[in-house]
Amino acid sequence: MEHFLNLNYIQAINNLEIMEERQDDVYTIRFHAAENPFDILTERAFVKKFRLTKALVNALIDDLRPYLEPPSRKSAISIERKVLTALRFFASGSYQQDIGENRASSLSQPSVSKCITEICDSNMCIMNVNAKYPGSTHDSYVWRRSTISTIMEQMNNEGMRSYYLLGDSGYALRPWLMTPLNNPDPNTPEGRYNEWFCKTRSLIERTNGLLKMRFRCLLKHRVLHYHPIKASKIINACVILHNICIKNNVPEPIDEVTNDVDLGIYYVEENNLDLQQVNPNLLAGRRMQRQIIDNYFI
């Protein structure tokens, strides 16, 4: 987290009052100690500001302490303050500044809403994330090059065929990756399959929405003004913190959700991009899809 911080933001978070007094061409700088948020904030206010509870933040500080450089002088920022500063930035997305050369801000940034970078469980805990691709990359491109795609294909080839993922219509139908049908009649088995499919798959959209509302630096209009490598690290850090919140039942930031917030979540309208290709995996996927419809929706 140390690499995500910048001096201006640290000073703002610390609420330090720096006073300069000129006496015979000598400047005296006085640092007034910042108030400790652990002491002055209620648990609810602390979670609203930093997203994690006081106990979880203390545990996080202990986990990160071996990896962060301790302060070398009295006026230096403490490890505790560095972690709180990073958490505050992740939660609000404010006080961002370019780092390094200006050209970095013009590079295509990774995007949380694009590609199948996230696979979640029924509790909205994110099981897999890959933030190395820019937001302009199509979901199916990222999926085809992901480790999970390779593993799922290997499992299928080895006879383990009772597991599959759900993807939107932008992905290629496979026996290990089910996709929706194209506009079936709602009063048919195909229509009931689609209804079930969409309700189940909406969980990933809710997970994306919760992740972005909890850590607002990931919102569409909060473009991360960092080099793509650092932006990827920020996304990964937020995903880990999101899972910590889920596993410890930290309340959702419901009071901050507004209908006009653009979460940057896009719905792909394409249907099975390689439909015209003769692909044995596509045919196997159609058979699996048909078997599911016949077994559960007739």
Side-chain angles (χ1 to χ4, degrees):
M1 288 186 180
E2 184 176 16
H3 301 296
F4 304 152
L5 312 181
N6 61 71
L7 181 59
N8 290 338
Y9 187 51
I10 290 176
Q11 290 175 338
I13 289 296
N14 280 342
N15 195 26
L16 294 177
E17 181 182 355
I18 302 175
M19 300 177 59
E20 292 188 2
E21 298 179 358
R22 181 172 181 176
Q23 298 177 350
D24 299 328
D25 295 327
V26 176
Y27 287 92
T28 301
I29 301 179
R30 298 177 181 174
F31 292 86
H32 294 257
E35 294 179 311
N36 189 339
F38 287 95
D39 297 332
I40 66 173
L41 295 179
T42 65
E43 185 70 23
R44 182 176 180 178
F46 189 94
V47 172
K48 183 175 181 180
K49 185 178 289 289
F50 300 107
R51 297 313 196 226
L52 275 65
T53 64
K54 293 179 182 180
L56 288 175
V57 171
N58 276 323
L60 181 64
I61 291 171
D62 290 340
D63 289 340
L64 294 176
R65 194 180 299 278
Y67 306 99
L68 298 178
E69 184 177 350
S72 58
R73 61 185 188 280
K74 186 176 180 180
S75 60
I77 306 302
S78 67
I79 289 177
E80 291 78 5
R81 189 65 55 173
K82 290 177 180 179
V83 174
L84 287 171
T85 300
L87 290 175
R88 184 67 185 125
F89 163 63
F90 295 158
S92 67
S94 300
Y95 298 101
Q96 295 187 66
Q97 293 187 355
D98 290 336
I99 293 178
E101 300 180 53
N102 290 334
R103 66 181 177 84
S105 63
S106 65
L107 297 176
S108 184
Q109 297 289 328
S111 168
V112 179
S113 63
K114 289 296 293 181
C115 50
I116 194 167
T117 53
E118 294 175 80
I119 299 172
C120 71
D121 63 17
S122 59
N123 296 317
M124 294 194 289
C125 189
I126 297 173
M127 303 170 67
N128 180 268
V129 61
N130 181 349
K132 69 180 182 180
Y133 291 94
S136 59
T137 307
H138 196 282
D139 296 7
S140 60
Y141 178 90
V142 179
W143 167 245
R144 289 195 301 270
R145 285 156 181 77
S146 70
T147 303
I148 299 299
S149 175
T150 302
I151 292 174
M152 294 295 291
E153 183 172 3
Q154 289 175 347
M155 290 173 60
N156 181 80
N157 293 338
E158 293 171 3
M160 293 179 281
R161 295 170 184 169
S162 58
Y163 304 94
Y164 45 83
L165 300 176
L166 304 183
D168 63 32
S169 55
Y171 299 102
L173 177 64
R174 294 291 184 264
W176 57 86
L177 175 60
M178 293 292 101
T179 60
L181 296 167
N182 188 20
N183 298 321
D185 188 320
N187 297 317
T188 62
E190 291 76 13
R192 290 190 287 273
Y193 162 85
N194 256 30
E195 182 181 4
W196 163 84
F197 188 100
C198 294
K199 285 182 179 179
T200 304
R201 195 189 170 280
S202 66
L203 184 65
I204 189 62
E205 309 299 350
R206 297 202 302 273
T207 301
N208 263 321
L210 176 58
L211 172 66
K212 291 188 175 189
M213 292 309 300
R214 181 169 268 147
F215 301 107
R216 299 174 71 89
C217 68
L218 303 180
L219 286 172
K220 179 182 177 182
H221 64 280
R222 295 277 209 275
V223 177
L224 293 171
H225 292 169
Y226 298 109
H227 189 279
I229 293 178
K230 184 166 291 186
S232 296
K233 292 180 179 179
I234 292 175
I235 294 172
N236 289 338
C238 288
V239 168
I240 293 172
L241 293 169
H242 165 85
N243 284 350
I244 291 175
C245 291
I246 293 294
K247 292 178 179 179
N248 290 274
N249 299 314
V250 177
E252 299 179 13
I254 298 176
D255 56 332
E256 298 184 17
V257 177
T258 56
N259 293 329
D260 59 345
V261 172
D262 187 348
L263 297 176
I265 297 175
Y266 304 98
Y267 299 91
V268 181
E269 298 297 333
E270 298 170 88
N271 188 61
N272 294 337
L273 298 181
D274 62 352
L275 194 60
Q276 303 302 320
Q277 299 179 16
V278 178
N279 188 311
N281 286 326
L282 173 59
L283 297 177
R286 288 176 179 169
R287 288 194 296 270
M288 174 62 74
Q289 188 180 60
R290 188 70 253 171
Q291 181 178 337
I292 293 173
I293 294 172
D294 292 342
N295 287 344
Y296 299 102
F297 300 100
I298 294 296

